[in-house]
Amino acid sequence: MPLVVANGTKISYAERGTGEPVVLVMGTGSPGSVWQLHQVPALVAAGYRVVTFDNRGVAPLPPGAAKPTVEDLVGDVVALVERLCGGRARLVGTSMGAHVVQEVMVARPDLVQQAVLMATRGRTDTFRGALATAEAAIALGEAKLPPQAYAVWRLIQSLSPHTLNDEKQARSWLDLMEFFPPSLEVAEAQTELERMADRLDAYRAVTPPPDGALVIGFADDLVTPPHLGREVAEAIPSARFTEVARCGHFGYLERPDAVNALLVEFFGDRVPSTRSTQ
């Protein structure tokens, strides 16, 4: 992956396709290459130039380096859009990445043509606060979970019961985690970002993107349940909300065809359904 020096750091990125730019912002603990599985091919086929990148903390942090803040990640996205896109871009984020995109909309609305916010929230409620505390204890504590136990913990959080109760799919996900186990080092670098203050008032005051914002909730998401995403859609002026059924926090990987159809439809200025995608 090529590197660009921006916002005081080196950012590894990849781009594919031609046309208007779309920047994809990944969530906690995962590299930007995860987008390559499903979303990048669909968007390239639809005629877009797609940029993916690794958030700070995905690559090992230098010894003594401070853990990244949301402001750091927002600055990185702003710098990438300015350096690689030369102006406005469509931004897509999931989970922590959606939080980052929301904050880019607050800080630099002039750079956002359209925004898609998946598996997002605008505040930390009681259970999500407890979950973030538990994640921090696992990532930052001296006693570490065995890799297999950590992988199962992540899958319970991130997948729908429809997936976990399907023998073939469950086996495939467990095999995937065995070959590509989630990184405790990355989680340690980014775990503090799971806690967020109530930002809904800030989102009510944003200048909406010229071509709108779409919030996508995943029906069985335990980490960022749809009702918290709907709050974000209700706060951002003229934003829309839609929900995808039978998937959890990894909905863009569990039901990629449904998610990709929503992305392409929204970017093509055709209003997506506000009903659940079955």
Side-chain angles (χ1 to χ4, degrees):
M1 295 176 70
L3 292 171
V4 61
V5 177
N7 194 34
T9 191
K10 294 179 180 178
I11 303 172
S12 59
Y13 72 96
E15 55 182 326
R16 285 183 55 194
T18 59
E20 297 178 356
V22 179
V23 178
L24 305 180
V25 189
M26 184 42 66
T28 303
S30 298
S33 58
V34 173
W35 294 115
Q36 304 281 347
L37 294 172
H38 302 292
Q39 282 67 52
V40 170
L43 291 170
V44 169
Y48 295 99
R49 172 188 169 216
V50 186
V51 177
T52 61
F53 68 99
D54 289 342
N55 287 311
R56 294 193 195 203
V58 169
L61 294 172
K67 293 182 175 65
T69 65
V70 170
E71 290 75 19
D72 290 330
L73 301 187
V74 169
D76 294 346
V77 173
V78 166
L80 278 174
V81 172
E82 290 179 330
R83 292 283 297 276
L84 300 181
C85 305
R88 290 185 183 272
R90 291 173 169 85
L91 302 184
V92 179
T94 188
S95 192
M96 179 192 75
H99 180 196
V100 171
V101 172
Q102 288 156 201
E103 296 301 324
V104 173
M105 293 169 62
V106 173
R108 291 295 305 273
D110 57 302
L111 297 179
V112 186
Q113 186 68 31
Q114 258 180 320
V116 177
L117 311 165
M118 299 191 291
T120 194
R121 55 190 168 94
R123 63 185 177 92
T124 298
D125 65 1
T126 299
F127 182 75
R128 261 44 66 170
L131 184 59
T133 299
E135 288 278 13
I138 292 172
L140 302 175
E142 293 184 7
K144 303 296 185 184
L145 282 179
Q148 184 181 25
Y150 185 54
V152 170
W153 162 268
R154 289 296 304 275
L155 292 182
I156 290 172
Q157 285 187 63
S158 303
L159 299 179
S160 167
H162 294 277
T163 299
L164 294 174
N165 294 335
D166 182 293
E167 291 291 320
K168 184 177 180 180
Q169 291 192 65
R171 182 70 266 163
S172 295
W173 277 97
L174 288 167
D175 289 344
L176 182 66
M177 285 295 186
E178 182 178 339
F179 282 107
F180 303 102
S183 170
L184 277 170
E185 289 76 15
V186 173
E188 181 177 347
Q190 296 181 346
T191 190
E192 297 299 328
L193 301 177
E194 294 296 328
R195 298 184 179 94
M196 66 181 299
D198 189 328
R199 296 290 292 159
L200 293 174
D201 282 345
Y203 300 154
R204 292 184 183 98
V206 301
T207 300
D211 292 336
L214 172 66
V215 178
I216 300 176
F218 301 132
D220 299 326
D221 190 346
L222 295 177
V223 179
T224 50
H227 74 274
L228 295 181
R230 189 181 292 276
E231 289 181 350
V232 174
E234 292 172 349
I236 297 172
S238 71
R240 305 164 187 161
F241 177 84
T242 193
E243 184 175 311
V244 182
R246 293 183 289 113
C247 56
H249 197 62
F250 285 171
Y252 61 101
L253 299 175
E254 283 184 276
R255 297 201 60 200
D257 291 345
V259 171
N260 294 345
L262 288 170
L263 291 175
V264 173
E265 180 185 36
F266 181 59
F267 288 166
D269 288 331
R270 294 187 295 277
V271 177
S273 171
T274 56
R275 298 187 300 274
S276 296
T277 299
Q278 302 299 320

